[in-house]
Structure formats: structure tokens, C-alpha cells
Amino acid sequence: MSATVLTARALLLDMDGTLVNSDAAVERIWRRWSERHGLDADEVMKVVHGRQGYASMALLLPDRPMEQNHADNARMLAEETADVVGVVPIPGAPEFLASLRGLGLAHALVTSADVALSAARMAAAGLELPDVRVTAESVGASKPDPEGFLKGAAELGVAPEDCVVFEDSGAGIQAGRSAGMRVVGVGPRARFYEPDVVVADLRQVRVEAGDGGGVRLYVA
């Protein structure tokens, strides 16, 4: 099967589910939270991927004051940062990131995790953090709002339409599309949300330097 070829000026990379498999830790934390609030954990897990915690809580507990969601989210972030058991790289992520860095290609991490959690999970997975990072502290709105991806593009000095997003979740794919960017979906969750192209993992992606400092992506 021939590869899909995408050209871009920069890549914007989600973390959880895209570079790092943290599903086991996310399940542990959110299932405990679900039990505390008398919610169906399986239904909760359908909501939480890709969003900041407070945004998920607002959907799951719509009558609760937002300040309680933010306080609860802060406690959960601390729990998640301390619990990296089973956090591993998505297959192909080490080689993918090494290629981007080695070729000097513009890229940024755009994650709903905060600074501490993103550092902890990337380290647990043995992955080097990109130089440009947009974390929870950097934005006023959670995915599916496009703010994070637009900020990542701005920090790299690249127009949104010249960026390609890598995402696994419905909220993240929606955010990338709303930012006017093309989206490569990674993993089994992504295929339900109609990204431009979907891969099982990052072993199916190869990068080359394009003309004038751009990026050429080969997606098998």
C-alpha cells in the first residue's frame, strides 16, 4: 500500500495516547474519582481522554460549581504526577521524536497535562521533551477548544494551515480541526473521529526535511 504524503511547516504533538501510553494510570485515577462521585466509570472514561480534568468534570457533574472542579483537578493532577506505573512510549515515539530533533524540524508538544505531569510522563516513557511546549498552564480553555494548537503554531511562528496535528482523542482531533489544521490520528480511539489519516502507532510515520525547512511526512 502506498504511503500518504503530507507536507507542513511544523508538527504539533499531543502527549497522552499519542507519544505516551498512559491509559493504565488514567484509568486508575479516573475510576477512583468515579467511585467517589457515584458515577459509572465506563461512561466517565468515554469523556476524559484529551480534555483537562476540570473540563471533563464540568461535563460529568454539570451542576457542580466550576471552582470545585478546578480544586478537584489540582488534586488529581498531583495524583497523576505521582503515579507513572505502566507509563510507556507509544511504539515508534522514541524514533519519531529523535528524527524531528535530529533533522531540526519545527515541532511542539501541545498537551492538556500541566508542566509537572507532562515532565513526569515523558520521563517515565524515556522520551525527551520538545523545546516548545504548550501545557495546561499556557491556555485558558481545554481541548476541544483550539487555543492550545493555535498557541503552539504561534510560538513556532507558523500559520495554522501549515501545521499538522498528531492526536488520539475526539477532543484533540476536534481542537486540531477547529484550529484549521490537518490531523493525523494515532491509535484505536482516533479512527472514530475522522482525522485526515489514521495510524495504529508512530511506527507508521516517517519524516524528512522538506523544502525551505519544512516537513515531509510519509504515513503508511
Side-chain angles (χ1 to χ4, degrees):
M1 185 175 67
S2 61
T4 298
V5 182
L6 301 174
T7 57
R9 306 293 300 174
L11 307 183
L12 303 178
L13 314 173
D14 175 52
M15 182 182 71
D16 292 300
T18 301
L19 298 174
V20 169
N21 183 347
S22 56
D23 281 1
V26 171
E27 288 259 350
R28 285 193 294 273
I29 298 293
W30 278 99
R31 285 185 180 279
R32 287 201 295 267
W33 183 88
S34 303
E35 187 175 349
R36 288 197 297 269
H37 294 279
L39 298 174
D40 183 326
D42 291 335
E43 294 302 312
V44 167
M45 295 311 303
K46 294 177 183 177
V47 171
V48 300
H49 291 292
R51 293 181 171 85
Q52 291 191 44
Y54 75 84
S56 296
M57 293 171 193
L59 292 172
L60 294 162
L61 298 173
D63 297 327
R64 191 165 78 157
M66 187 58 80
E67 58 266 26
Q68 289 187 29
N69 295 335
H70 281 286
D72 216 357
N73 184 51
R75 288 190 293 270
M76 288 186 69
L77 283 169
E79 285 184 58
E80 289 181 288
T81 302
D83 181 359
V84 293
V85 175
V87 173
V88 295
I90 293 293
E95 297 82 3
F96 177 63
L97 288 173
S99 293
L100 294 176
R101 186 175 290 275
L103 293 170
L105 304 177
H107 63 290
L109 187 73
V110 181
T111 176
S112 294
D114 64 3
V115 168
L117 180 56
S118 59
R121 284 189 175 159
M122 291 288 280
L127 300 176
E128 190 171 354
L129 282 162
D131 293 334
V132 177
R133 302 183 286 275
V134 178
T135 61
E137 297 93 338
S138 309
V139 297
S142 169
K143 298 172 185 176
D145 191 282
E147 181 185 357
F149 287 125
L150 293 171
K151 183 161 284 191
E155 291 198 19
L156 292 170
V158 176
E161 62 268 23
D162 292 328
C163 295
V164 171
V165 165
F166 281 70
E167 264 286 359
D168 72 299
S169 70
I173 291 168
Q174 183 181 336
R177 286 196 176 285
S178 296
M181 301 172 181
R182 291 156 292 160
V183 181
V184 175
V186 180
R189 279 190 292 269
R191 66 182 66 254
F192 295 105
Y193 302 102
E194 300 184 348
D196 294 276
V197 62
V198 64
V199 296
D201 57 50
L202 294 172
R203 291 175 294 186
Q204 293 179 247
V205 180
R206 182 169 59 87
V207 295
E208 289 182 356
D211 297 334
V215 185
R216 188 177 294 111
L217 285 167
Y218 295 88
V219 183

